[in-house]
Structure formats: C-alpha cells, structure tokens
Amino acid sequence: MTGFHRATSLADAIEQIHRGATPHAGGTEVVNWIKDGIAAPTRLVDLERLGLADIQTRGDRLSIGALARLADVAASALVRSGAPALAQAIEASASPPIRQMATLGGNLLQQTRCPYFRMPALGFGVPCHLRRPGSGCAALAGEQRGASVLADRDCRATHPSDPAVALVALGAELGIVGPGGVQRSMPVADLYAQAPGSFSLAMGELITEISVPLAQPSQASRFLKLRDRASFDFALVSGAAVRASGRWALALGGLAWGPLLCPSVASLPERPDSQAVRHAVSADLSVAAPLPGNRFKLELAARLAVRLLAAESPLPLSRSPVSPAA
Amino acid sequence: MPPIRLTVNGVEHTLDPDPLASLLDLLRDCLGLTGAKRACDRGECGACTVLVEGRPTLSCLKLGVATDGKTVRTIEGLAAADGTLHPVQQAFAEHEALQCGFCTPGQIMAAVACLEAGQASSDQSVREWMSGNLCRCAAYPQIVAAVRSVALGR
C-alpha cells in the first residue's frame, strides 16, 4: 500500500525524495500517473506544508515560489505587470479547477501528453520507449499531431507546459535545492536539455523557486497558443515573445521536448515585417525533421511568430494587465 | 498514519482512508454524498467538482489525505436548511440549464465559485471560468444564461 508522508521541512522532503518517495504537490499530475500505471510509488511525500508559494520581488527579479498555484500566479498583480506573457500562458493552460490545484513547479515537471505514453497500463503492449525502454515508438506509425518535429533516435515526446514557453522567453531561472541542502540555479530551458521524457534534476533535487528578471519600463511580452479547441486543450504550437533592452526573445512550444528558443529573431527591429520574421524562424527550424503527421506545425509556427512579432500584426504586446490569450 | 479531519458542508468528519483514496471516493463511498459524480475520474470532465477552501477542485484528483484540516462544500450543502434552493440552483432550474443532470452538481459548484470570485461579468468570462465542466447534453447556452442571471441579480 502506498504511504503518504507530509513533509515538515524542505530538508525532510528532500531526504524522502532522495530515498525514493514521489513528491505530491497539487496532485493533478501524479494522481493520474498512478491511475495510468506510469508510476507506482511506495511512498508519496506531500509538499503543502513547505509553503514555498510566495510571489514577491527579490532584488531585480520577480520571485515565484514553486508551490504557488497556477491561478494565484496568473492573478498576481506583480506577475501581470512584470511578466504578462507568463500570466497569459497560465490562463491558457489546463482548466480553471486544475489551475486552482496545480503548482507552477509541478506544471514544469509534468510528463508528455503523447497518447501512447498516457495509455493505461492495460494498453495492449503498445511500443513506448518512455514506458518500456527499447520497445520503440508507436507515434512513428500512428497519431503524430502532438509529436516533436525534432528527430530523436528513441522518442518524439513534446513537453506540454505553456508557462515553460513564457518562462524561457522571459529568461527565467529555477532555484533548486538538493540533498544536504545544496542550492543551485538553472535556466528554465536547461530543465529540458536531456533526452525526451527526462528532466535535468538529480535524485532528491526539488525546484523551490522560479525567478524572472523584473521588466524594465519598456519591456513588453505576449503569449499565444494555437490549439484545436478554444479552451482546455494542449498546444499544437505556442509561442512567447518578449521585447526587452532592444532585442527580441521568441520561444516556441508544442514542437519539442521543452520550449525552442529562436535566436535568429533576437536582432530583428522592434517592428519587423512578416517576411523578416518568417525568414528568421525558418532558419531556426531548419534542423527540424518533422513526421508526415506533424509537418504542418512548422508552417503554424512561422505564422504564429508573425502574429507575435510582425509590425502588421494586430496583436499588441502587453505591458500591463492582460486579457485571455487569443 | 493518523486519521484525517475534514469539514464537509459544515459538519466535521474523522476518517482513516487509504492514502490513494480520492476526495471523490470519500465523499461518495464513505460519507454518502453522491452529488459529485465519478465520470472520467481523471480530471478532464469536471463532473466531480466541489469546493475545497473555496477553490473549485476536481475531487477525483484530490487525494483524501490531502484534505486534512480543510473545508469542503458540495452540492448537498448549497440549499438552505428549510430547503430553499441556492440562487444558482434556482437559476439552473429556471433557465433549464440541464438535461440529463449528470454534470449538473459539478457545473453548479463551479458556477458558485465563478460568482464568488467575481468572474461572471460577461458571457465570455463565464464560459472561460467554467470551461473545465463538460456537458454532453450541450446545455452550455442555458448554463451561461443561468450564471449570468445570478450575476445580474435577475
């Protein structure tokens, strides 16, 4: 029978995780892992009593506790004025009750939504490298819309987090604490630098904080999500654009295991024409090796980038309180 | 582990559940409160929506042991002691915001939270706030009308 331990301190939580316990925060992901047979923990360690949910300024950065609920982060005046793209990304994520339960840290650590990975344990021996290493990949001959456009020898999983896309474009960093209280920080993008399905965290490490450089007065940002339904659906392609210090940052989601930064847009002018945007994005996506069923996402990504950046775009970047993402 | 204590519709209960039992399991199978429904049982339909500490919560994904010390409101706790319907219940009836009724307890609890959070100022806002509650009978227009009527005091 699975045990449930309420961590009384950060050190207690890390000790438990280091010894094999599975963290439980909002529960919106780990409970489904258990139901789908993705995880069968012998012990859950609940993090609620650790706090770690404050949203505040810390020096020249906006600091968000990893256990802050998505809804609270999106509603925060500090976030809405200091990092509008993050608020928009959260408001486009999941569904309202999930946003009331789920934490920002947990959102960054959710697993892929590939239907073959998510298939319940009784799923007919479907090939899935993440579930059974070496068994192959059912998406190569099956449902591919949500798969990565990047080639990988074993797995085409994409990471579904919308906040991660905004955070990468915003230059956010993670505060991490590990066994023995050892602290380190890491750019959000690096969390997804390992093989698809894996995170750059050592056993026992816990994300405690997400910090974003505080917006300079001229900074503006926006997030956009393209999906089949108007709500409660994962991104086919998403993007976050940030204009700061005379440069653009564009991160694209829905295309790979983790947000893709587009370095070629950085030096575009403040009001580039759509051809220049397309050219830059195409250059950055030239490494893509899409599957027949997801090739369309490359064109979607170019159009989304145009909507976010181009001078002819009707979408204004937000400098202050947001409306729901289009 | 020690038993948990949670308050449901103003009544405190002490329970000793399996750690993997959901709040939905506890409400329906231990406390006999069968208003919250087990439909998808994976957080995708909203039929299990209840309020935990005032927040709309998918009780199928909320571990029971994680509600220790918390306050829970379900559909059974909305009407007054004398049976007078809550304004949202009354509005759902008047606007025919249900057909089969299976999603309705979850819809109503989400609507109560929507109104209490001041998020019912427009049709679009209601649709967005309630987008986690599916209705296979497609009573959505009537549901939005019912919630908006309560917001407008009509």
Side-chain angles (χ1 to χ4, degrees), chain B residues 33-96:
Chain B
L33 298 170
T34 54
K37 296 293 183 277
R38 184 181 293 113
C40 77
D41 204 27
R42 52 186 303 114
E44 292 173 2
C45 75
C48 66
T49 305
V50 298
L51 304 187
V52 178
E53 302 285 295
R55 296 183 186 256
T57 300
L58 302 170
S59 58
C60 70
L61 292 184
K62 186 79 178 169
L63 292 181
V65 290
T67 63
D68 185 34
K70 303 274 196 284
T71 307
V72 180
R73 284 167 79 194
T74 73
I75 189 77
E76 290 89 348
L78 281 195
D82 66 357
T84 306
L85 292 181
H86 185 282
V88 174
Q89 292 173 304
Q90 183 67 34
F92 266 58
E94 287 172 4
H95 290 266
E96 298 184 39

Side-chain angles (χ1 to χ4, degrees), chain B residues 60-137:
Chain B
C60 70
L61 292 184
K62 186 79 178 169
L63 292 181
V65 290
T67 63
D68 185 34
K70 303 274 196 284
T71 307
V72 180
R73 284 167 79 194
T74 73
I75 189 77
E76 290 89 348
L78 281 195
D82 66 357
T84 306
L85 292 181
H86 185 282
V88 174
Q89 292 173 304
Q90 183 67 34
F92 266 58
E94 287 172 4
H95 290 266
E96 298 184 39
L98 67 151
Q99 291 184 40
C100 79
F102 201 77
C103 74
T104 307
Q107 298 279 3
I108 289 176
M109 297 316 292
V112 168
C114 176
L115 287 155
E116 290 181 356
Q119 295 293 333
S121 57
S122 68
D123 286 5
Q124 183 54 32
S125 184
V126 172
R127 279 193 213 104
E128 172 56 36
W129 183 271
M130 309 230 350
S131 60
N133 292 82
L134 304 186
C135 173
R136 196 59 181 84
C137 299

Side-chain angles (χ1 to χ4, degrees), chain A residues 1-2 4 6 24 28 31-32 35-36 44 48-49 69 72 91 95-101 231-232, chain B residues 1 4 18-20 41-44 55-58 60-63 65-66 68 70 128-129 131-132:
Chain A
M1 175 157 104
T2 302
F4 186 86
R6 293 187 191 89
H24 172 272
T28 52
V31 171
N32 274 332
K35 292 185 194 221
D36 286 341
L44 291 169
E48 188 187 8
R49 291 177 189 180
R69 317 275 184 99
D72 296 343
E91 288 174 343
S95 70
I98 291 175
R99 298 198 291 267
Q100 294 287 337
M101 300 165 74
S231 65
F232 202 7
Chain B
M1 45 178 296
I4 63 164
D18 182 303
L20 292 186
D41 204 27
R42 52 186 303 114
E44 292 173 2
R55 296 183 186 256
T57 300
L58 302 170
C60 70
L61 292 184
K62 186 79 178 169
L63 292 181
V65 290
D68 185 34
K70 303 274 196 284
E128 172 56 36
W129 183 271
S131 60

Side-chain angles (χ1 to χ4, degrees), chain A residues 10-196:
Chain A
L10 188 54
D12 178 29
I14 288 169
E15 170 68 17
Q16 296 289 324
I17 296 165
H18 189 59
R19 290 205 268 131
T22 298
H24 172 272
T28 52
E29 178 71 336
V30 70
V31 171
N32 274 332
W33 287 354
I34 295 169
K35 292 185 194 221
D36 286 341
I38 292 167
T42 49
R43 170 171 271 213
L44 291 169
V45 55
D46 182 53
L47 307 178
E48 188 187 8
R49 291 177 189 180
L50 302 187
L52 294 178
D54 291 338
I55 302 168
Q56 59 198 313
T57 54
R58 210 198 289 279
D60 61 351
R61 299 185 77 85
L62 173 60
S63 167
I64 304 168
L67 296 178
R69 317 275 184 99
L70 292 179
D72 296 343
V73 178
S76 157
L78 283 177
V79 174
R80 293 175 83 78
S81 62
L86 176 60
Q88 291 175 344
I90 291 173
E91 288 174 343
S93 298
S95 70
I98 291 175
R99 298 198 291 267
Q100 294 287 337
M101 300 165 74
T103 64
L104 183 56
N107 177 275
L108 299 180
L109 293 172
Q110 69 185 292
Q111 258 299 349
T112 184
R113 299 292 159 174
C114 174
Y116 303 108
F117 175 77
R118 292 278 170 175
M119 202 166 282
L122 297 177
F124 316 118
V126 162
C128 171
H129 177 78
L130 276 190
R131 294 282 287 261
R132 283 184 306 279
S135 66
C137 171
L140 294 178
E143 174 57 47
Q144 298 178 343
R145 276 169 80 79
S148 174
V149 299
L150 300 182
D152 183 272
R153 192 185 58 189
D154 297 316
C155 177
R156 288 254 181 178
T158 52
H159 195 274
S161 168
D162 298 318
V165 178
L167 289 171
V168 167
L170 288 163
E173 299 232 325
L174 302 177
I176 296 164
V177 182
V182 175
Q183 298 181 33
R184 67 182 178 103
S185 66
M186 179 170 77
V188 171
D190 289 0
L191 183 62
Y192 308 103
Q194 309 300 319

